[in-house]
Every structure is written in C-alpha cells, then in structure tokens.
Amino acid sequence: MLGVAVDAPQHSGLDRLLDYLAERPRPRGSLVRVPLGRREVLGLVWSSTEREAEPAQGGAVALRNVVEAFDALPALPPAWCDLLDFAAGYYQRSLGELALAVLPPELRRIDAAGLARRLARIDKRLAKAQPARDEPSLPTPSIEQAAVLAALAASETPATTLLHGGTGSGKTEIYLREAARALDAGRQALVLVPEINLTPQLEARFAERFPDRRVVALHSALTPAQRLGHWLLALRGDADLVLGTRLAVFTPLARCGLIVVDEEHDPSYKQQEGARYSARDLAVARGRIEGVPVLLGSATPSIETWHNALPAAQGGAGRYRRLAMPGRIGGAAWPRVRLIDMGRLPKAQTRASPIAEPLRDALRERLARGEQSLVLLNRRGYAPVLHCADCGWKSACPHCSAWRVFHRHDRTLRCHHCGLTQRVPRACEQCGNADIRPLGRGTEKLEEQLAGLLPEARIGRIDADTAKCAGALAADLARVHAGEVDVLVGTQMIAKGHDFRRVTLVAAIDPDGALFGSDFRGPERLFALLMQAAGRAGRDAQQAAGAEMWVQTWHPGHALYGALKAHDFEAFATSLLTERRGAGLPPYRHLALLRADARTQELAQAWLAAVAEAAGDLPGSEEVQCYPPVPLTVQRVADVERAQMLVESASRPALQRFLAAWNPVLQTRRAESRGVLRWAVDVDPVAI
C-alpha cells in the first residue's frame, strides 16, 4: 500500500496523504498516476508498506489501485524529498499542493509510456553530442577576488556565505570559479537569479566558461516540453549546471555540490501566489540538507541576510559568513551621486517637463560625447490614470479598487491587477466631455517626452510591456549593447545585472514614493534599487571617473539619499536595524499573514476576526499576537474582496507551532462560512 501526495489546495481540507493499492512497494519520491474522484492525477509516493488493505466494511470506501508508475524515471532524491517536507511544513502548505506546484506541468499531461519515449529521445541526443571546444583562458582575479576565493577554498565545512560585493566588483567571476570547483569534484551546481531577463546573459557566461559541460535553464518562459527536458537532465545528472529563477530551487539534482543565489535581496525570490515560499531561504535550507556550500551574492543584501551575517558581537545572529569585495574591477571609481532638489526649482519648470534643466544638460553632454544614459522610472504605461476635468471622472477599474492604466501605443486602458483591457473612450464615460486627459506619467510617456527634449537622440524603452513578445527583450538589449540607443528609459528591469559598457549616466525620476509608504520594507527596496541602478554607470574603467547618478527628489535631506551619496550600505543597514529593533520588526520579530478572500469586505474581516478569537484557546497562543484584520492595499481584485491579519511572535519556533495548531481551525471555519472563498497563510511575508 502506498501513501501518495496529490495536488490539493491548503484551504480544501484534503491535505493528507491518500492510500492506494500497488503491486509492490515503491521508494519515497516515485511518481505515479492515481485515480482521484473521476479523474486520474499525478501523485508523489511518500510512504510505502507491504501491509495488505483490509476489506471495506459498512460505509467505508474500498482503496483503489495505482493506475501506473513512472518506472523509467528514477525516484526523486532523498534530499529533495527532505527539502519538500521542510518547505511544506514551514510555509504551512499541504505536501501534495507544494509538490505538484514545483514539478514540471508536462508531467501531469503525459503517461508513463510517453515519458519513457522522451527519455529515449534525450539519450539519443546525448549520444550525438558534439565534442566541446577548448576551454577559454581565465581572467586574472583582482586582489579582492583572490582573497574571497582563498577564503572559500579554505572552508573545511559547507557553510552559507554572504558575498557582499559592490556593483561591478566581479561577483559573477566568483560564481564561475566556485562552480568550476564543484564540477571538478564531480558535482552539479545550481545558480538562481531573481528574474527571467537576467537568465540568458548569465547562461551565456557559464556556457562560454564551461564549453565541455551541459548548462540548462529553468524558468517560466520555457515551453512545457523544454522545461521538462531540462528538469530530466538535472534529475538524471546529465546537466552539470542549472540556472534558473525561484522555481529552480526545487530542481532535483543527482549530485548537488554548490548553490548560488545572485542578487539575494531581490523580493522576486518570494512566491506571491499559491505556496508562498522564499527561494533564497529554501536555498539556505537546501544547502544544510544537502551538506553543500551556499553563496548569497548582493551589493545591497536584505536586512535579514545582513543581520544573519553580522557576528553576535556586533548585534547580529552570526549564522552566515561574510566576505566583502568593496571595490570595482579595474579600480574603477563609483559614480558620483547628484541630488536635484525639485522643491528649489521654479514650479513652472517642474510642471512643464519631467526632466529638470541640470539633468537635461547632463544628458546632452553624454549625447555629444557618444555615451549612453539610463533614465529610471519604476512605473510602466503612459499614465497611471485618465481623468475628466469637468466632472472629476477617473479611469477606475470596475472590478478592482485600482485605476486602469493608460497605454498610448495601442490606445487602451488596462488594469494591471485583473487584466481588464478596453479601448480608450472617445469621451468621459460619466458626463460626455471629449477632453479627457492623462494624469501622471509612466515609462511610455517619459519616452515620448525625452524624444521631444532630445530630438537628435535615439530613445529606447524596456519594461514589462515592451518585453511581452518572445525575443523582444533580447533584441532590445542587443541594441543597447551595440550602441544603437543613446538614452534608455525603463523600469527596474534595466537596473539589475546588466553590463552596459557605454553607460556613464543614470537618472532616477520620481523615486520618493517608497520613502513614505505603508510597507516598512519600502526604504530598503528603494535603496537597493537606486544602488543597483547607479551600478550600471561607469562599468568601463576608462569612463568611470566621469560616471554619475542623478536623482530628482523632493526630499534631498532624507538619510537614505545621504547613504546613497556615500555608497555606504553598511551605514544604511545599521540605521535600519536600529529602527526595526525599536519597532519590533524583522529580523527581531517573526511574522505571518493570514489572508482571506470573500464576496464582501465585511465577510472577509469577520472571518479573520472569528478565527483570531478561536486561536486564543490554542496551546502556545500566549506567545503570539494577532492584530486586527484590515483590507489589503488593493482590497478588491476581479470582484473579490481581500483582507489580511498580521500574526507576530518573538520566537520563530513558537510561531510555527501556533500556525500548525491553527491550521485545522482555519479549515473548519472555512467550511462553515459560505461567503469566504479561500484563505492562505503567508509565512515571512515580504509585502504587507
């Protein structure tokens, strides 16, 4: 008899293993197809026994047989199963829900015979693989790189290391050399990046460095067949290097030897739907389970990681080792940060143009010298909202508590939450006034305005809208690298990881919003974004002396901008840790969010309040505090009302015990409340 995990959402109540009959026991991690109701679904064997099932009596349901087993596929490694078990428990998800969410979707659609045929085709391609070219000559490491490599090589036991290297300091070379060390030992390496758009260039770097090794990528932009093929290569040990986004942390590796998390601070590593796991934190857990080193790289580490890397004598947790590379390759200087005080400029000037005159002059100077500039505005679209000056109408989404964004290139209004897309009306929908105008600006409008201010410049734009079509992002980046773009406008997509050799000026437009938002992590993210953006300027050592970062701000005296001018992450992190200790926020307290979706906001909040009251009777509830329920920032999406409740504890184990005991209560109360559509627990939330 087999205990099988199948896909069942946490709120369904079907979160335990299901028993099935089988001809013989199978190891944990085997994949099978089993009947579930009237369907046949993919299942993961989690337990196995030779005990025969007893005959069904009374109203009991007789056990059903496994339909088929995927015998051509080896069982998923024990360490992978341990990681899944840990993740399901820590993030309060059912084992089957998490397992089926991280396995390739194509496995749900094929049978055992189809999988066997695919494996045969893979074997045939591997047999025809062409011999590799000679290995390239290696660059001479800098003094800082050599010191880091020596420290890593001298480590006697696997550990988690924070590689705190500034932008342009050569962190990628450390990744490459450590990967080579793992490969030489006959192991595999897993490298995580925060976003899909960073995967191709990193894949090219690894393929160039390791021409005789098989490098595969795993991310959501692959076709289902490609993703399954790469996953199979990793599982069977045929792939030496696996590069991917957050989902790749669950890649089964036959001989894992190294895990790298690049830009570890990036919030993209946290899954925001379904099983809300942190790929960075799971990478650290996987390193502990597998007994392999984990390398966390960043110029602006997350405050939690920084705290873990600080020794206890400095008020930190002392869990990670910290290695620093503060300089840039070739001794290049850091960009000079210049703040434009928008409050001192004439109001007529700030209204007439999004670009202040000093910045406009600086852009023209770069243009005259044949250098490139980046202009960062972290808001896509043409304008956040259309409005009517006569009656005050605004382009609100009828299904969400949000505005429909105006996109001028196709004359549409789009809701970025539910996806509703409509043509721009010819007149105000409320009073019929034909003079409806955009309010505010996004990257599309900024691109248009820059073209008017700099008519001789070649203006480019990169954001989620321009990158929608397959190959569009790669083509746009190739144009920038080829020097066919003078001024590149974009969102945070252009601020991370790109090695633009001709860029000497980076400008940030309207960054102040994150300083005063409701999310306590807003300043931390803004500082990271601006530091990363500044790092795009002056990456060529010969041009670095004249590189600049311009910031248009209404609050030039803010401490964040002071730390940015000094390129002083440590001072900024120290001030944030002091603030958070006083406020009782992470990393000094541990948080979870309980979210509820319902037909009305009143129902959602009432349900949250009821389960909070019921929690008071649970053992250990005195170590946990439940705050009153509140609406989400965007409280209605697709006609569903959303509310949340913050749960806090000074002890992580106490919070985990409480959440585990609370789970049955949540399932019972959800079944009793017809108006509540779904609920979810988010452990260690990154957005509040």
Side-chain angles (χ1 to χ4, degrees):
M1 188 165 59
L2 304 180
V4 179
V6 298
D7 186 8
Q10 181 189 37
H11 58 79
S12 69
L14 193 66
D15 57 352
R16 60 179 178 81
L17 298 179
L18 302 181
D19 291 332
Y20 289 93
L21 299 177
E23 295 178 354
R24 58 181 175 84
R26 294 187 179 276
R28 185 174 71 149
S30 300
L31 294 179
V32 293
R33 189 167 298 282
V34 295
L36 183 64
R38 297 182 179 180
R39 300 177 296 144
E40 290 183 0
V41 299
L42 183 67
L44 178 69
V45 175
W46 205 250
S47 64
S48 182
T49 177
E50 294 185 1
R51 180 174 62 87
E52 295 184 2
E54 297 178 0
Q57 297 179 357
V61 178
L63 294 183
R64 303 169 75 180
N65 291 306
V66 167
V67 175
E68 62 178 358
F70 290 75
D71 290 325
L73 194 67
L76 295 164
W80 185 92
C81 294
D82 291 342
L83 175 68
L84 186 77
D85 197 27
F86 167 80
Y90 185 82
Y91 292 106
Q92 304 295 318
R93 314 305 298 190
S94 71
L95 194 66
E97 177 189 12
L98 182 58
L100 274 297
V102 302
L103 291 173
E106 191 75 353
L107 285 173
R108 299 172 184 243
R109 292 188 284 268
I110 62 175
D111 57 15
L115 181 61
R117 287 193 295 270
R118 294 198 185 204
L119 290 170
R121 289 198 295 268
I122 289 175
D123 290 335
K124 191 174 182 179
R125 286 199 302 270
L126 293 177
K128 292 182 178 179
Q130 297 296 321
R133 61 185 186 278
D134 295 335
E135 293 188 6
S137 57
L138 302 183
T140 302
S142 68
I143 295 175
E144 291 179 352
Q145 286 176 326
V148 166
L149 290 168
L152 291 171
S155 179
E156 296 182 357
T157 58
T160 297
T161 300
L162 169 62
L163 178 59
H164 183 209
T167 53
S169 62
K171 294 187 292 295
T172 303
E173 183 63 27
I174 301 297
Y175 305 157
L176 290 165
R177 301 243 179 180
E178 286 302 291
R181 203 152 65 93
L183 297 181
D184 290 343
R187 312 296 288 275
Q188 294 167 290
L190 173 63
V191 182
L192 303 182
V193 294
E195 296 186 6
I196 292 174
N197 69 80
L198 298 178
T199 308
Q201 64 184 42
L202 193 64
E203 186 177 2
R205 289 284 301 273
F206 273 84
E208 181 183 14
R209 177 63 61 91
F210 303 106
D212 60 336
R213 301 287 190 167
R214 187 165 288 105
V215 182
V216 299
L218 282 170
H219 50 74
S220 59
L222 298 175
T223 66
Q226 287 173 327
R227 182 175 159 190
L228 175 60
H230 293 181
W231 184 86
L232 291 171
L233 289 172
L235 170 62
R236 303 197 316 169
D238 297 320
D240 301 295
L241 292 146
V242 178
L243 313 180
T245 50
R246 62 175 175 260
L247 189 66
V249 75
F250 285 103
T251 304
L253 299 175
R255 40 192 174 83
C256 181
L258 172 70
I259 302 173
V260 174
V261 184
D262 190 26
E263 309 292 0
E264 66 82 28
H265 65 277
D266 199 293
S268 299
Y269 282 121
K270 183 68 189 288
Q271 175 77 14
Q272 295 298 325
E273 298 294 336
R276 293 167 168 83
Y277 61 86
S278 164
R280 179 207 53 210
D281 294 347
L282 286 182
V284 174
R286 182 169 187 175
R288 184 176 63 250
I289 292 169
E290 299 261 15
V292 301
V294 177
L295 201 53
L296 308 177
S298 178
T300 54
S302 71
I303 296 303
E304 288 83 356
T305 295
W306 185 256
H307 180 256
N308 279 330
L310 283 178
Q314 298 179 28
R319 295 189 183 96
Y320 304 162
R321 175 174 51 173
R322 178 165 65 100
L323 299 176
M325 295 196 305
R328 301 183 101 181
I329 289 294
W334 295 106
R336 177 188 178 190
V337 177
R338 305 185 64 168
L339 304 178
I340 301 176
D341 186 351
M342 300 298 286
R344 291 181 175 270
L345 298 179
K347 289 185 178 180
Q349 186 183 133
T350 59
R351 290 171 182 166
S353 172
I355 306 295
E357 280 191 15
L359 176 55
R360 197 182 318 165
D361 293 340
L363 289 168
R364 286 179 176 141
E365 288 177 11
R366 264 54 183 194
L367 189 59
R369 295 203 298 261
E371 298 168 1
Q372 292 175 315
S373 301
L374 300 187
V375 181
L376 173 69
L377 175 62
N378 210 19
R379 186 187 306 117
R380 63 188 174 103
Y382 188 86
V385 63
L386 285 183
H387 92 120
C388 172
D390 282 3
C391 70
W393 170 86
K394 292 181 176 63
S395 55
C397 176
H399 306 295
C400 307
S401 52
W403 307 116
R404 288 173 291 165
V405 177
F406 174 39
H407 292 259
R408 186 167 184 172
H409 76 282
D410 60 359
R411 302 289 298 175
T412 59
L413 290 173
R414 296 185 209 159
C415 177
H416 291 171
H417 297 278
C418 72
L420 175 68
T421 300
Q422 296 175 324
R423 299 290 297 174
V424 172
R426 296 180 179 273
C428 173
E429 296 178 352
Q430 191 163 288
C431 73
N433 174 30
D435 187 17
I436 51 176
R437 299 182 180 183
L439 282 179
R441 71 175 59 85
T443 49
E444 190 181 350
K445 184 175 183 179
L446 183 58
E447 176 189 24
E448 178 186 276
Q449 292 173 320
L450 279 169
L453 292 171
L454 305 170
E456 69 277 25
R458 296 166 296 177
I459 311 294
R461 175 167 60 93
I462 292 179
D463 55 30
D465 295 322
T466 66
K468 284 190 300 186
C469 299
L473 178 60
D476 288 339
L477 290 173
R479 289 178 57 229
V480 178
H481 287 295
E484 298 172 5
V485 174
D486 299 313
V487 180
L488 178 63
V489 178
T491 58
Q492 50 85 25
M493 289 178 66
I494 66 173
K496 309 173 189 175
H498 300 293
D499 189 17
F500 299 131
R501 308 301 293 180
R502 295 180 174 88
V503 171
T504 59
L505 183 148
V506 173
I509 311 299
D510 297 338
D512 293 338
L515 294 175
F516 309 106
S518 59
D519 191 342
F520 69 89
R521 288 192 175 90
E524 175 186 353
R525 289 178 185 156
L526 176 61
F527 186 82
L529 177 62
L530 295 179
M531 281 281 284
Q532 293 287 333
R536 300 316 107 203
R539 295 180 76 87
D540 186 335
Q542 296 180 351
Q543 297 180 319
E548 292 180 333
M549 168 73 167
W550 290 67
V551 181
Q552 293 190 174
T553 174
W554 296 89
H555 304 278
H558 197 284
L560 182 148
Y561 294 127
L564 181 67
K565 288 189 70 172
H567 296 278
D568 194 346
F569 172 82
E570 292 193 28
F572 177 72
T574 300
S575 67
L576 276 188
L577 284 172
T578 301
E579 289 177 10
R580 292 192 187 179
R581 184 190 291 273
L585 292 169
Y588 302 105
R589 304 283 285 185
H590 306 283
L591 307 179
L593 277 177
L594 176 60
R595 293 193 167 109
D597 294 351
R599 302 186 189 283
T600 68
Q601 186 64 214
E602 292 75 18
L603 277 173
Q605 292 197 33
W607 185 82
L608 290 172
V611 296
E613 182 178 358
D617 298 328
L618 296 175
S621 60
E622 68 280 358
E623 298 183 80
V624 173
Q625 181 175 0
C626 294
Y627 288 86
V630 295
L632 270 71
T633 304
V634 181
Q635 72 177 54
R636 188 176 85 259
V637 172
D639 294 320
V640 172
E641 291 286 339
R642 312 187 302 166
Q644 63 184 6
M645 182 168 62
L646 185 65
V647 184
E648 177 189 276
S649 177
S651 166
R652 192 188 301 274
L655 179 61
Q656 284 288 311
R657 289 192 297 270
F658 171 80
L659 293 175
W662 204 20
N663 192 289
V665 176
L666 300 176
Q667 292 185 3
T668 301
R669 291 300 181 98
R670 159 65 182 84
E672 295 172 352
S673 177
R674 293 184 178 180
V676 176
L677 304 175
R678 65 191 69 89
W679 59 270
V681 174
D682 186 356
V683 180
D684 300 332
V686 297
I688 299 176

